[in-house]
C-alpha cells in the first residue's frame, strides 16, 4: 500500500505496456521490460507498483537493473 499517494482507478497494464513500448522498451515476460539501447531492465511493474492518477502513470517500487553491457 501507498497510503500517501492518492490514485484514481486501478491501473490498466495494457497502458503500462503501451507507454513503455512507445519509449523503446521491449516486453520480456509477465511485468518485466528491457531497453536494448540504453541497457536498462525494469521489473515488477504490476498494477500495485504502477498507479494511475488523472490518466498519468506513476511508477513506484519499480525494480530496475543495468544490463551487463551498460558500461560498454
Amino acid at each position: 500500500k501507498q497510503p500517501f499517494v492518492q490514485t484514481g482507478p486501478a491501473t490498466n497494464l495494457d497502458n503500462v505496456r503501451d507507454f513503455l513500448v512507445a519509449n523503446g522498451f521491449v516486453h520480456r515476460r509477465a511485468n518485466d521490460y528491457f531497453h536494448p539501447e540504453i541497457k536498462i531492465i525494469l521489473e515488477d511493474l504490476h498494477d500495485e507498483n504502477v498507479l494511475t492518477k488523472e490518466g498519468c502513470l506513476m511508477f513506484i517500487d519499480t525494480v530496475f537493473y543495468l544490463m551487463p553491457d551498460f558500461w560498454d
Side-chain angles (χ1 to χ4, degrees):
K1 285 190 168 187
Q2 301 294 331
F4 299 106
V5 178
Q6 305 253 335
T7 63
T11 297
N12 181 333
L13 293 178
D14 290 335
N15 293 340
V16 174
R17 181 183 301 204
D18 292 345
F19 175 79
L20 290 171
V21 168
N23 284 284
F25 284 85
V26 176
H27 183 244
R28 203 164 124 192
R29 66 174 187 267
N31 300 306
D32 302 342
Y33 297 82
F34 73 97
H35 196 295
E37 293 177 29
I38 59 175
K39 312 296 186 192
I40 293 177
I41 300 168
L42 301 177
E43 293 185 350
D44 206 27
L45 298 177
H46 56 79
D47 60 348
E48 294 176 357
N49 285 348
V50 183
L51 305 178
T52 302
K53 182 175 183 179
E54 299 174 3
C56 294
L57 298 173
M58 298 183 291
F59 293 79
I60 59 169
D61 204 23
T62 302
V63 177
F64 70 94
Y65 302 95
L66 302 178
M67 295 169 70
D69 56 344
F70 175 83
W71 301 106
D72 292 346

